[in-house]
Amino acid sequence: MNKRVNKQMIALAATALLALTACGNEPAARSGASLTGRTFLSTSVTENGKPRPLAAKSQVRLQFTTDGKISWNAGCNTSQTTVSTSDGRLSLGKEIASTAMGCLGTVQGQDSWIGSVLLSKPTWTLDGDKLVVSTESTTISLLDKESAEPDLALDSTKWQLTTVVSGQAASHQAGFEKVWLTLNGERVTGSTGCNEFQGVVARATGKVTFGELATTRKACAGDAATVESLVLKRLKGDLTYQIDGSTLQLRSTTGGLDFTASR
């Protein structure tokens, strides 16, 4: 009888130990959550307990690379440096590389704002796809890009020009918003902002090859002529492409074009 009781007590103790171990693992798994290889987009920002509105059509973007770096963008330039995520804080490196695009309006000031937030060693918490980055006065709530903004299809999307890349330089210019293209299988149609164009494009994994584009014959002058020349010069030959949410990048060895999906 005593042996049977002892066996029952041992079994109960083992069950209790397993339950405690399981409960103890949940916080450990959560505290060990990794940001590596993930990109997050802001859903809300507050400062001193009040909502902080961002510039129109802009949001905070944080990307944590697999080689221990963080890159960030708040609607204008992109910056990158090394990062440590230990102890629940983001500790950035001293050497920061940034693009140097001239941006107009309120979006320009968001570069320095997001930089100052991240350089203040903010705390971070991750719960599934939701990331919260906080300082004493600022809280930025973000969502994993794969949930917030799934990649659009290359075909049948109207892609609107945002940036022209020449070597290491990237530029925005008045009239870019009038330039667009749409790909459907082996056909491409679009506008240079002045003339319409169409042509044939060959497809391969991660690459498109543009043939000669036929354009309408409207005379273009001033900025419209400059933009058309830039666009047609880059929509030639082999280009790699990458879609990230609602953005499309086309690249050659000398430059490229950045587009965003027209909404």
Side-chain angles (χ1 to χ4, degrees):
M1 183 67 177
N2 288 338
K3 290 182 178 180
R4 183 178 300 173
V5 171
N6 287 339
K7 288 180 179 179
Q8 290 176 342
M9 292 179 66
I10 291 171
L12 288 172
T15 301
L17 180 60
L18 286 172
L20 287 171
T21 302
C23 293
N25 282 342
E26 183 177 355
R30 185 168 293 183
S31 64
S34 176
L35 302 176
T36 302
R38 303 178 70 175
T39 299
F40 298 88
L41 305 176
S42 65
T43 55
S44 66
V45 180
T46 61
E47 280 189 337
N48 299 314
K50 297 180 180 180
R52 176 197 167 98
L54 299 179
K57 297 182 180 181
S58 71
Q59 61 188 153
V60 176
R61 178 189 181 94
L62 302 182
Q63 180 178 7
F64 298 86
T65 65
T66 55
D67 59 351
K69 295 180 180 178
I70 179 176
S71 68
W72 63 92
N73 181 290
C76 185
N77 285 290
T78 298
S79 301
Q80 185 182 72
T81 187
T82 56
V83 64
S84 169
T85 60
S86 61
D87 301 323
R89 289 188 176 274
L90 301 179
S91 299
L92 274 57
K94 295 181 179 179
E95 296 183 3
I96 299 175
S98 299
T99 57
M101 295 187 293
C103 305
L104 303 176
T106 55
V107 71
Q108 185 176 20
Q110 288 179 179
D111 276 356
S112 56
W113 165 75
I114 186 60
S116 64
V117 170
L118 295 174
L119 287 169
S120 66
K121 294 187 178 181
T123 61
W124 66 273
T125 57
L126 180 64
D127 186 2
D129 287 343
K130 298 178 181 179
L131 171 66
V132 177
V133 175
S134 302
T135 67
E136 291 184 0
S137 60
T138 303
T139 298
I140 306 174
S141 298
L142 307 102
L143 186 63
D144 191 294
K145 186 188 77 67
E146 292 186 4
S147 298
E149 192 177 86
D151 293 344
L152 295 179
L154 177 63
D155 280 0
S156 302
T157 301
K158 185 176 181 180
W159 299 105
Q160 189 174 47
L161 182 66
T162 58
T163 308
V164 172
V165 179
S166 300
Q168 299 298 316
S171 63
H172 300 281
Q173 187 172 322
F176 281 9
E177 71 283 355
K178 298 178 181 179
V179 179
W180 62 271
L181 63 79
T182 298
L183 294 99
N184 283 290
E186 296 181 349
R187 299 294 300 176
V188 58
T189 57
S191 172
T192 66
C194 179
N195 283 289
E196 295 180 354
F197 64 81
Q198 61 178 321
V200 177
V201 60
R203 310 283 286 273
T205 302
K207 185 176 75 172
V208 289
T209 302
F210 285 84
E212 194 70 27
L213 297 177
T215 67
T216 54
R217 300 286 184 173
K218 181 180 177 181
C220 308
D223 289 342
T226 301
V227 171
E228 178 171 273
S229 178
L230 288 171
V231 171
L232 293 179
K233 182 179 180 181
R234 283 161 178 76
L235 289 180
K236 285 185 178 181
D238 294 340
L239 298 171
T240 60
Y241 76 86
Q242 181 176 347
I243 296 174
D244 187 359
S246 60
T247 63
L248 167 67
Q249 290 186 341
L250 297 178
R251 292 290 185 271
S252 68
T253 55
T254 58
L257 303 169
D258 290 349
F259 298 84
T260 187
S262 177
R263 300 181 186 276

